Amino acid sequence: MRHLIVPWLPKVCLVVGLGLTSCSSPDSAAKPETPTTTEQLPHALRRLDSHFEQLWAMNKLWEDGLAEVAVYDAERIVYDKVRRFEYVQITVKEEFNDQYKVKTDDYQRPDLFPVMKVNQFCRIPTEQYPYHFLTSLFFRRENPVGLYKLTTSSQEWCGNTFKAFLDDGLQYMQTYNSYWDTQGAGQRNLRRDILFEDALPYTLRTLRFAALPTFQAAVCELQQTSKATPPTYYEAEIKVQEAPAADTPEPAWLVRVQLAPDKTSTYWFAKRYPNLLLRQAAWDGRNLTLKKVSRYAYWTHPKK
């Protein structure tokens, strides 16, 4: 059941996937503070703890100084047509500082804490022009359920849109800057007791799969779009089961996320750690199939 109905933008001439629409519509730095050692989650998320491996990201795999770079063959509906492209998802441990809430350059600071960063990037070609999306998700390393920070941006010939969400301890504070009329630039506060649809490829890989849980959770709709309208929340059912052997090239768990009666997304995660996302079939036509995965320091540059 949807708790918030997002008004449909009138007179939009072309619909591009979920939230992607044509642009031709007629219409003084603070001193560092030492963060608390234990994050307090809202009650509605704490009740989900038993379904997730809270120490999933504490595995020594993530201490090797490298990033997991997974490349997918992808599909998304743009201008009422299925577009095929490559989609990259990067997962890596970083050290944040609490003052700026970004990756630190000074490892002697007193306000550091580890996060898991998940970057999702794609370039989608169309006959008109390409769409570019980059979404960055950050989780405290010890908490794979409660998203700490999310930024997402879209760029195409009509303009660019940027959205940021930050957990301030009471709610998510969203800031946005959109090229769309009636949106523009602004800020709003959102519920904190939610999962984000954008984050499910990471959060769901930390499930206690073997217990085959079924549970309910509030999910905020996809933010990897060009729009900055008030988000819709879904009261979703999440269900884990064994994946049929024919579904994936290796043994996998199948996770169904029913956002609404007519909106079900399916995710396949490898049984072996680190439970890589092997496939995704989202309700709105966003499909992923793993093409290759490797670990390397993508941020290094070759010497000239």
Side-chain angles (χ1 to χ4, degrees), residues 91-247:
T91 306
V92 63
K93 183 182 81 71
E94 292 184 344
E95 293 293 326
F96 259 36
N97 65 58
D98 192 52
Q99 181 181 10
Y100 298 108
K101 297 172 175 54
V102 296
K103 182 181 178 182
T104 194
D105 288 330
D106 178 4
Y107 288 86
Q108 304 306 312
R109 295 174 60 106
D111 62 340
L112 301 183
F113 61 97
V115 301
M116 297 298 291
K117 178 179 77 173
V118 180
N119 269 359
Q120 301 165 340
F121 172 79
C122 63
R123 177 186 185 275
I124 307 176
T126 75
E127 294 84 0
Q128 285 80 7
Y129 39 76
Y131 282 80
H132 298 83
F133 291 101
L134 175 60
T135 300
S136 294
L137 306 121
F138 302 91
F139 294 82
R140 291 180 183 271
R141 190 180 181 190
E142 73 280 6
N143 177 13
V145 179
L147 181 69
Y148 175 68
K149 178 182 176 181
L150 181 157
T151 63
T152 186
S153 61
S154 70
Q155 303 85 33
E156 30 88 3
W157 289 9
C158 296
N160 58 74
T161 293
F162 178 80
K163 291 174 277 187
F165 302 77
L166 182 66
D167 180 359
D168 70 1
L170 297 175
Q171 64 265 309
Y172 284 109
M173 183 178 67
Q174 180 193 1
T175 56
Y176 60 88
N177 196 308
S178 163
Y179 65 83
W180 287 95
D181 191 15
T182 75
Q183 297 173 22
Q187 181 175 311
R188 61 174 67 97
N189 294 329
L190 306 177
R191 296 168 54 174
R192 188 172 179 247
D193 60 339
I194 55 175
L195 305 178
F196 282 79
E197 190 175 357
D198 304 74
L200 294 181
Y202 174 79
T203 298
L204 295 182
R205 71 191 288 193
T206 73
L207 280 163
R208 297 181 185 270
F209 295 105
L212 301 179
T214 298
F215 58 95
Q216 281 70 44
V219 177
C220 179
E221 70 175 341
L222 188 77
Q223 294 303 306
Q224 194 182 78
T225 71
S226 66
K227 292 297 188 67
T229 51
T232 294
Y233 303 116
Y234 298 101
E235 291 303 322
E237 179 182 81
I238 299 173
K239 182 176 183 178
V240 178
Q241 61 191 78
E242 292 260 1
D247 283 4

